[in-house]
Amino acid sequence: MKLVTYLYEGTEAAGVVSPDGTKVYPAKALGFDCENMNGLIDLLAKKGREALSEAVKSGCKNALSVEQVEFLAPIPEPKQDMICLGINYMDHAEESARYQKETFGGERPYAVYFSKRIGEAVAPGGWINGHFDMVERLDYEAELAVVIGKEAKGVLAEEAADYVLGYTIINDVSARQIQTRHKQWYFGKSLDGFTPMGPWIVTEDEFPFPPKLSIQSKVNGELRQDSNTGLLIFGIPHVIQELSKGMTLKAGTVIAMGTPAGVGMGFDPPRFLKAGDQVECIIEGIGTLKNTVR
């Protein structure tokens, strides 16, 4: 299933894309009385994803055509900051070290975690605010994001799939000189408009676990990143087990799994974004997240 947040006649709502992709079934019409995606996720944690799947199979009399709605980010306002993994592909670790003029030892014994504040996630087709009055080196990062489906604490790696609601695409937009200046990543990755997300959440049951999917990015049609989520240094089971051992992951938690090589800072010379650039983040089986810089 594809879970969506959409705008219809000025009202935001959560829903499911019909199996043939032509319609949107409002969650309320399927018996899930919620105001938004956060509410739907909470209901799914109680009722189970299978209940929604069965409702979708029965069809929906109040369906909307996809032409009638505007898709927003699937979780426009997450309950908490996004949890992110840094340098979680070996080739990106190498290019990051080159950019920072650091020695790369070829090993990553421990995962690198940081958080990213999201005031409001940018919709598919929406604008990336470049903040060019303060940002000189604007970069893109295509990432697979995991959405936690129910409260997770003390989860074993072999149980991790049971706690995943589904997957979406994140563009972890980054201001590189702010990262460097402040010696940490939070500020430089958390400016307003720095988190395009979408186009929807594809539920976990649509893929083998953990998913091994092609991941790419393009800038103005030019392929920049081209890898596979099977190459993650620290995979989804490891991350859920490690994090949930010491913290409770609530339903709706978003975990961005890191980006592969090919970001702007990895080129020589670097190739950062400018106003008018169109960025596409593409993940096999999920779709394309396309946004324009301004």
Side-chain angles (χ1 to χ4, degrees):
M1 291 182 293
K2 295 176 179 175
L3 312 181
V4 294
T5 294
Y6 64 92
L7 198 64
Y8 176 66
E9 295 185 342
T11 300
E12 177 186 319
V16 182
V17 177
S18 64
D20 64 4
T22 64
K23 298 179 178 65
V24 173
Y25 297 167
K28 287 186 177 182
L30 294 171
F32 287 75
D33 190 8
C34 57
E35 297 302 320
N36 52 36
M37 184 60 74
N38 286 324
L40 177 58
I41 292 172
D42 287 341
L43 286 175
L44 291 174
K46 296 175 182 177
K47 295 185 177 183
R49 187 180 61 216
E50 295 77 12
L52 182 60
S53 179
E54 289 302 313
V56 169
K57 290 177 183 177
S58 299
C60 179
K61 293 181 180 179
N62 298 320
L64 303 167
S65 71
V66 293
E67 289 79 14
Q68 290 178 279
V69 305
E70 176 186 347
F71 288 119
L72 304 179
I75 311 178
E77 297 182 15
K79 295 177 184 178
Q80 300 173 305
D81 286 1
M82 181 186 299
I83 299 173
C84 303
L85 278 92
I87 50 180
N88 199 28
Y89 290 80
M90 198 61 71
D91 55 3
H92 179 57
E94 293 171 356
E95 69 178 1
S96 179
R98 285 198 306 271
Y99 179 75
Q100 300 290 343
K101 295 181 172 58
E102 298 173 346
T103 301
F104 177 62
E107 295 183 359
R108 280 288 178 266
Y110 300 104
V112 175
Y113 297 109
F114 63 97
S115 62
K116 182 181 177 87
R117 180 167 292 274
I118 306 172
E120 183 176 358
V122 179
W127 295 96
I128 296 170
N129 184 344
H131 293 276
F132 291 114
D133 59 332
M134 62 184 291
V135 174
E136 299 170 3
R137 305 174 205 160
L138 185 70
D139 215 343
Y140 53 90
E141 294 188 1
E143 304 200 14
L144 174 71
V146 178
V147 181
I148 298 297
K150 60 182 178 181
E151 188 171 290
K153 187 172 181 63
V155 176
L156 298 177
E158 55 266 29
E159 303 168 341
D162 295 336
Y163 292 82
V164 175
L165 172 64
Y167 310 97
T168 190
I169 304 171
I170 296 293
N171 184 352
D172 181 17
V173 179
S174 306
R176 297 301 187 195
Q177 91 281 9
I178 293 178
Q179 287 181 246
T180 303
R181 179 190 304 152
H182 291 275
K183 307 300 181 183
Q184 48 74 43
W185 298 343
Y186 187 73
F187 185 25
K189 289 175 174 282
S190 298
L191 303 186
D192 293 344
F194 267 26
T195 311
M197 178 193 296
W200 33 58
I201 299 168
V202 179
T203 53
E204 184 274 334
D205 57 304
E206 296 289 330
F207 307 103
F209 185 84
K212 297 180 180 180
L213 309 172
S214 168
I215 179 170
Q216 299 177 320
S217 69
K218 296 180 181 179
V219 177
N220 301 324
E222 177 191 11
L223 184 65
R224 294 286 183 88
Q225 295 176 279
D226 188 10
S227 189
N228 192 285
T229 62
L231 298 175
L232 291 167
I233 299 173
F234 299 98
I236 296 168
H238 172 94
V239 168
I240 291 177
Q241 174 174 287
E242 185 165 65
L243 290 176
S244 71
K245 185 175 183 179
M247 69 171 74
T248 301
L249 303 177
K250 296 181 179 180
T253 297
V254 182
I255 305 174
M257 293 300 298
T259 199
V263 299
M265 72 174 182
F267 289 88
D268 186 15
R271 303 174 68 180
F272 295 117
L273 298 172
K274 61 185 182 301
D277 283 348
Q278 186 179 84
V279 184
E280 297 172 76
C281 298
I282 307 151
I283 298 183
E284 176 188 1
I286 300 178
T288 298
L289 174 64
K290 184 184 298 184
N291 300 92
T292 303
V293 180
R294 69 174 177 186

